[in-house]
Amino acid sequence: MESLEGSKNWGFEGLERVELCYGKAQMCENGVLTLNLGSLAEVFTFIDLSSCLDLRLVCKKFNQSICYGWSIRIYELECLIKKSKESIESEFDTSTLEKHYHLKSENSKIEEKLHECLTKSKGRSKLFPEVQDIGYMPRPCRALIVPFLTSLILMGWELPEPHKYDFSSRKELKQIWLKFRGLLRNKKFIKMTESFKVSNITHDQLRLVKKIYSVHTDLTFAMISKECAASAYLFLWYNQLMEYLKLSRDLENLGIKQIEDKMDEYEGINKKMVEVFNKILANQEF
């Protein structure tokens, strides 16, 4: 289905031919307008959306071809969606399906908790009216440093030469603090929480974060809460995230999620194409 998103690997050496479509005289000279509606439809369905919207204005034949081609693609997508649903029902037994939907439900609940933890980590407290105020602390304790450090790593911040640090050393933790506290001061931490995606986490990030927590196993939510509420919620966020990743792996192993992901992709493309196609049929402006 890559072609539906604008692949350049289609017939008639596509890109070179389509470049001609913006000049009517050039198209006539090269015989493009002599192609029948079916052939033109095949070409146009592999062109990105914005180009299609321009090309349909060139002439009536182009407009008809695009409408014809898109109606075929929409039907094909609907068939793929239906086939995916039938595949799930036929290839997996009741027990596997029940387990899949249970894990999926649990992961949805954890997603809500993850969002809640990040929101609370940016909230006000009596000690720190704003989260950026935490960044002005000269020598915070490890209960404050570790949750912020590990969360920032998972959100994409790179600790320079991490292999050189002894994460069990309070002295070295405070050296690391000086390297990242600016992210709290300038509110970049807040932006990182807003743009965070679980899918962006790398194996190296996970490995490093687990290594850091392996030498601070005594930390608890209650203990950290006494020092800083924001750090406590980041600690809770980390633990929820680990559970989420575990359940996600279990879902992947069942095999249904891959089909559902593909089905979601088809449905997303189909919805977009139907919306645009309906506007084309109604001759609305874009």
Side-chain angles (χ1 to χ4, degrees), residues 236-257:
L236 186 59
W237 176 78
Y238 165 76
N239 284 282
Q240 292 289 333
L241 181 61
M242 292 303 103
E243 180 64 19
Y244 179 86
L245 292 174
K246 178 183 178 300
L247 290 178
S248 295
R249 286 193 296 271
D250 292 342
L251 273 171
E252 291 282 348
N253 292 336
L254 290 176
I256 301 173
K257 186 177 182 298

Side-chain angles (χ1 to χ4, degrees), residues 44-259:
F44 291 151
T45 50
F46 291 88
I47 302 174
D48 63 87
L49 177 60
S50 59
S51 296
C52 273
L53 297 179
D54 289 336
L55 287 167
R56 62 178 286 265
L57 301 176
V58 171
C59 65
K60 183 178 180 181
K61 188 172 185 178
F62 272 26
N63 184 46
Q64 291 174 331
S65 298
I66 289 172
C67 290
Y68 176 52
W70 275 37
S71 64
I72 294 173
R73 288 296 179 264
I74 289 170
Y75 173 75
E76 289 176 346
L77 280 165
E78 289 171 348
C79 289
L80 285 170
I81 294 166
K82 183 180 178 182
K83 186 177 180 181
S84 298
K85 290 178 180 177
E86 292 173 348
S87 175
I88 291 174
E89 293 172 358
S90 62
E91 294 180 18
F92 300 93
D93 58 36
T94 304
S95 175
T96 303
L97 287 170
E98 287 178 353
K99 187 176 181 180
H100 169 79
Y101 292 122
H102 172 72
L103 289 173
K104 196 173 179 180
S105 174
E106 290 300 306
N107 250 11
S108 295
K109 293 175 184 176
I110 296 177
E111 281 180 347
E112 292 177 7
K113 291 178 182 177
L114 288 171
H115 177 72
E116 181 183 350
C117 287
L118 283 185
T119 300
K120 289 184 176 180
S121 74
K122 297 176 285 185
R124 295 170 178 268
S125 65
K126 292 181 180 179
L127 188 58
F128 303 106
E130 301 288 345
V131 71
Q132 57 264 34
D133 295 331
I134 300 171
Y136 290 94
M137 293 187 70
R139 298 164 115 191
C141 64
R142 69 188 179 100
L144 187 150
I145 295 174
V146 171
F148 269 103
L149 170 61
T150 52
S151 298
L152 284 167
I153 290 171
L154 291 171
M155 291 176 194
W157 180 70
E158 291 187 20
L159 174 64
E161 301 179 302
H163 60 279
K164 290 187 176 183
Y165 293 100
D166 176 7
F167 296 108
S168 64
S169 166
R170 286 166 169 76
K171 181 180 178 181
E172 293 195 30
L173 280 177
K174 287 171 183 177
Q175 291 175 1
I176 296 172
W177 166 255
L178 297 177
K179 293 182 181 295
F180 74 78
R181 65 177 182 172
L183 298 175
L184 277 69
R185 291 180 182 179
N186 62 19
K187 298 184 179 181
K188 190 170 182 180
F189 165 73
I190 294 176
K191 293 178 181 177
M192 291 173 77
T193 63
E194 292 169 350
S195 61
F196 170 76
K197 291 182 180 178
V198 175
S199 57
N200 291 337
I201 297 176
T202 67
H203 291 296
D204 288 341
Q205 290 169 345
L206 273 175
R207 193 162 36 244
L208 178 56
V209 166
K210 288 179 179 179
K211 179 182 178 182
I212 295 171
Y213 270 115
S214 70
V215 292
H216 297 283
T217 55
D218 60 318
L219 289 177
T220 64
F221 180 81
M223 181 194 303
I224 301 170
S225 295
K226 294 176 182 178
E227 301 296 336
C228 175
S231 290
Y233 281 111
L234 288 176
F235 174 78
L236 186 59
W237 176 78
Y238 165 76
N239 284 282
Q240 292 289 333
L241 181 61
M242 292 303 103
E243 180 64 19
Y244 179 86
L245 292 174
K246 178 183 178 300
L247 290 178
S248 295
R249 286 193 296 271
D250 292 342
L251 273 171
E252 291 282 348
N253 292 336
L254 290 176
I256 301 173
K257 186 177 182 298
Q258 292 88 329
I259 300 174

Side-chain angles (χ1 to χ4, degrees), residues 260-275:
E260 286 186 334
D261 288 345
K262 207 65 184 172
M263 191 164 62
D264 288 343
E265 180 185 345
Y266 296 151
E267 287 177 340
I269 298 171
N270 188 57
K271 182 180 178 181
K272 185 176 182 181
M273 291 188 73
V274 168
E275 287 175 356

